[in-house]
Amino acid sequence: MKKLGIGLAAFSALSLGITACGSSSETTDTTVAAATETATYTVDGAWARVSPMEATMGAVYLNVASTLDDALVGASVSTDIAAMTQVHETLMNADGTMGMREIASVPMTANTPLALAPGGYHVMLLDLIAPLEIGATVSVTLTFASGGTTTFDAIVSEEAP
Amino acid sequence: MKKPLHVIAAIFTLSALAIGCGSDQATLQGITRESPLTVGSASLPEEFENGTPPSEFTFVAKEGELLVVFFGYTMCPDICPTSLSDFRSALRRLGDRADKVDLAFVTVDPDRDTADKLAPFLSTYATRFHAIRTTDFSLLKSVQDKFLVRSSVTTDETGYVQVTHTGTAFVVDSNGVVVVELPFGIGADGMENDFRVLFNNIENGEL
């Protein structure tokens, strides 16, 4: 339990750091009508890592918050960008190796930013149609369990903004 | 039992910061062992573009230099680009010393990572690099064992290729000794710190 507490505290601290670092980036608010309440989504710090030559996979990182208890359940980009888009999580296995898995649903607590950051959750772009070039933008749509969606531009760069 | 890496990275980052705050920054932030790994006897084929025949690469730095060894694959969208970007950032801050850092990238996915893919991939991150590749998995494993590295490549029922690998980078000296291990999450700051510490040691004759 102690380790978990430290881990969560550390993660929270890291998330705050990432949020602060992303302050210069575009912020997108999208309002949707949910069944009983209206959810507003806030995205900031969205970026995609420039794809190395010959790389056919890409990753988009961002912070996203919902005004409702919600869950991130999907992501998409134009098929002009990538053949397929998935929400992935990078994990450390028991043997110390790291791998990824597609994740169907990432729980979100109301008004608490969910960080999609290197080494954790990310929007994975599979089979890139063309390399992601620095300065370009990728339009990404996220889908939530509440039925809402939000669309934003991720800036292609070498490092997090 | 799996743990999200961001939690592990955050713990590590805070630990590293805690160490850094109480020191003169002359300490290594990566992992050191009482009995360091010795990898100088290991070798694998280095491959080149344009059909140039492979040559045997030995995991030893040149005199006065450092060799950084990564295990990964080019279709890796998160771990490998993050670590290699951090490596590139650290080198950019090192000035002239960056010329003395060599990079060996061992593909754990040799069936897909051909030489023509590896070199352009690595050129994104470094000017000096070695594309290390063998399709002899028992040979690859024997070398990985010296680094205590593991990897796997499996294809699921949908045809998706799942690759796992150890995310640590290894800094090797001119004696073939791993002088520090850089775990995923150490970041560019940690790498830069450790390169500076190691070069100071080299220049002081302590390494």
Side-chain angles (χ1 to χ4, degrees):
Chain A
M1 281 304 289
K2 191 178 179 184
K3 281 188 177 176
L4 180 64
I6 293 169
L8 290 174
F11 178 50
S12 300
L14 194 67
S15 302
L16 289 171
I18 291 168
T19 305
C21 292
S23 59
S24 63
S25 299
E26 179 179 349
T27 298
T28 307
D29 291 330
T30 306
T31 302
V32 298
T36 54
E37 292 183 74
T38 300
T40 299
Y41 302 104
T42 305
V43 172
D44 71 355
W47 67 289
R49 194 184 295 284
V50 59
S51 58
M53 292 171 65
E54 299 297 328
T56 55
M57 303 290 186
V60 177
Y61 305 105
L62 61 134
N63 299 300
V64 59
S66 171
T67 51
L68 301 178
D69 285 340
D70 210 330
L72 172 63
V73 295
S76 62
V77 301
S78 163
T79 50
D80 293 341
I81 301 290
M84 194 166 22
T85 309
Q86 298 173 343
V87 178
H88 274 226
E89 182 178 25
T90 297
L91 292 165
M92 182 171 284
N93 300 306
D95 65 357
T97 61
M98 293 185 289
M100 292 182 309
R101 65 173 181 180
E102 183 180 8
I103 192 152
S105 177
V106 185
M108 298 171 65
T109 303
N111 300 311
T112 304
L114 168 68
L116 280 70
Y121 298 119
H122 52 277
V123 174
M124 183 160 163
L125 311 179
L126 296 93
D127 297 330
L128 290 169
I129 305 304
L132 302 176
E133 306 272 4
I134 291 177
T137 56
V138 179
S139 179
V140 182
T141 298
L142 300 181
T143 309
F144 300 90
S146 63
T149 63
T150 185
T151 299
F152 58 91
D153 284 342
I155 300 166
V156 180
S157 57
E158 282 190 347
E159 308 290 344
Chain B
M1 180 65 182
K2 297 182 175 184
K3 291 181 180 177
L5 275 185
H6 44 55
V7 174
I8 294 164
I11 294 167
F12 176 79
T13 302
L14 289 196
S15 305
L17 284 174
I19 293 166
C21 291
S23 75
D24 58 1
Q25 294 295 320
T27 21
L28 293 169
Q29 292 185 12
I31 297 166
T32 54
R33 296 175 190 267
E34 282 191 22
S35 299
L37 303 174
T38 55
V39 297
S41 62
S43 66
L44 283 174
E46 175 178 2
E47 295 201 343
F48 305 92
E49 289 181 283
N50 307 320
T52 304
S55 62
E56 201 67 8
F57 180 83
T58 304
F59 293 90
V60 178
K62 290 182 180 172
E63 195 66 35
E65 296 192 353
L66 297 171
L67 171 69
V68 181
V69 183
F70 283 92
F71 293 81
Y73 63 112
T74 67
M75 295 181 80
C76 171
D78 187 33
I79 295 295
C80 312
T82 299
S83 296
L84 288 166
S85 293
D86 288 343
F87 172 74
R88 175 179 56 197
S89 297
L91 255 56
R92 284 175 177 169
R93 302 176 197 167
L94 281 183
D96 293 343
R97 283 170 159 177
D99 297 336
K100 297 179 180 176
V101 181
D102 207 356
L103 167 66
F105 184 88
V106 183
T107 177
V108 300
D109 186 14
D111 290 336
R112 295 189 297 175
D113 281 347
T114 56
D116 287 344
K117 285 185 178 172
L118 284 167
F121 174 80
L122 294 172
S123 69
T124 305
Y125 300 107
T127 51
R128 288 181 68 187
F129 60 82
H130 305 274
I132 311 300
R133 173 179 182 264
T134 179
T135 52
D136 180 343
F137 281 90
S138 61
L139 174 62
L140 175 61
K141 185 177 183 308
S142 71
V143 171
Q144 288 182 338
D145 285 347
K146 291 186 181 298
F147 287 90
L148 304 181
V149 161
R150 293 176 181 222
S151 67
S152 69
V153 182
T154 53
T155 304
D156 69 17
E157 62 277 7
T158 67
Y160 178 74
V161 179
Q162 175 74 39
V163 180
T164 68
H165 62 95
T166 304
T168 303
F170 301 84
V171 184
V172 183
D173 70 6
S174 59
N175 296 313
V177 174
V178 176
V179 287
V180 67
E181 299 169 33
L182 307 172
F184 179 81
I186 191 169
D189 290 347
M191 288 188 189
E192 178 195 2
N193 174 78
D194 284 9
F195 293 149
R196 287 189 188 281
V197 170
L198 292 170
F199 277 121
N200 286 341
N201 291 346
I202 288 173
E203 288 158 15
N204 293 334
E206 297 169 8
L207 190 67

